[in-house]
Amino acid sequence: VPVSVYSIELLSCGAGRARLRVHCGPGTYIRRIAHDLGGMLGCGAHLSELRRTRSGSFDAAHARTIEQLGELAADGRLAEALLPAAELLPAFPAERVDTPTALQIRQGRDFRVSPFRVRSGSKYLRAVDEGGELVAIAEMVIPNLYHPMLVL
């Protein structure tokens, strides 16, 4: 499967170890990159540590440790660590729906969206109610008509 590697940066090297920063697309096996680099250098290589700092729109700067989550839970503030469901899947356009439409969606019924709104051409969209809560992830049946695939 073709993968995209945008950059490989050597952060440090010495004592038989190298630290790299890799910016890559989905499906890239970093262990394979280490193996291939070791083969090219004629010495072999493997990973001793792997840290993902970003995945899609999720960034390590927003991550919490287990200890931090425990403290938040003990204080009754665990919700502070959660992202609102309506913010997930940012590649899917969001369509705000009124209360009657949200009720229909929750019953699994197809729903129409405005033909005048410009969308990214995505086959899927996020249906969001008037309060900003995610109602469903929906799939286009025909232009401007969507079927709820995952209803919350």
Side-chain angles (χ1 to χ4, degrees):
V1 174
V3 297
S4 298
V5 177
Y6 307 111
S7 65
I8 298 178
E9 179 183 354
L10 180 63
L11 300 176
S12 64
C13 185
R17 292 180 164 261
R19 285 190 68 227
L20 305 173
R21 176 177 290 131
V22 179
H23 178 201
C24 60
T28 305
Y29 290 101
I30 302 302
R31 287 177 176 80
R32 183 66 204 193
I33 291 174
H35 176 79
D36 291 348
L37 287 172
M40 286 187 260
L41 295 170
C43 62
H46 69 278
L47 293 183
S48 61
E49 181 180 338
L50 175 63
R51 181 169 185 243
R52 184 184 305 262
T53 58
R54 183 175 194 83
S55 181
S57 63
F58 301 104
D59 190 301
H62 298 103
R64 307 287 176 106
T65 66
I66 296 294
E67 292 78 17
Q68 289 170 326
L69 292 173
E71 290 171 14
L72 287 170
D75 293 343
R77 300 176 23 229
L78 188 58
E80 292 177 22
L82 303 177
L83 293 173
E87 293 179 19
L88 302 176
L89 302 172
F92 295 172
E95 181 72 29
R96 192 148 313 245
V97 296
D98 59 20
T99 300
T101 303
L103 291 171
Q104 291 176 345
I105 292 169
R106 287 192 171 104
Q107 294 171 354
R109 294 171 59 194
D110 292 352
F111 62 100
R112 296 192 180 282
V113 297
S114 171
F116 302 107
R117 182 163 301 162
V118 177
R119 289 176 195 80
S120 67
S122 173
K123 181 178 179 177
Y124 303 98
L125 63 74
R126 294 173 287 145
V128 179
D129 69 17
E130 294 171 321
E133 297 293 318
L134 183 65
V135 176
I137 302 297
E139 180 178 23
M140 184 178 5
V141 178
I142 59 174
N144 306 314
L145 181 69
Y146 286 81
H147 177 75
M149 296 178 52
L150 174 66
V151 179
L152 303 173

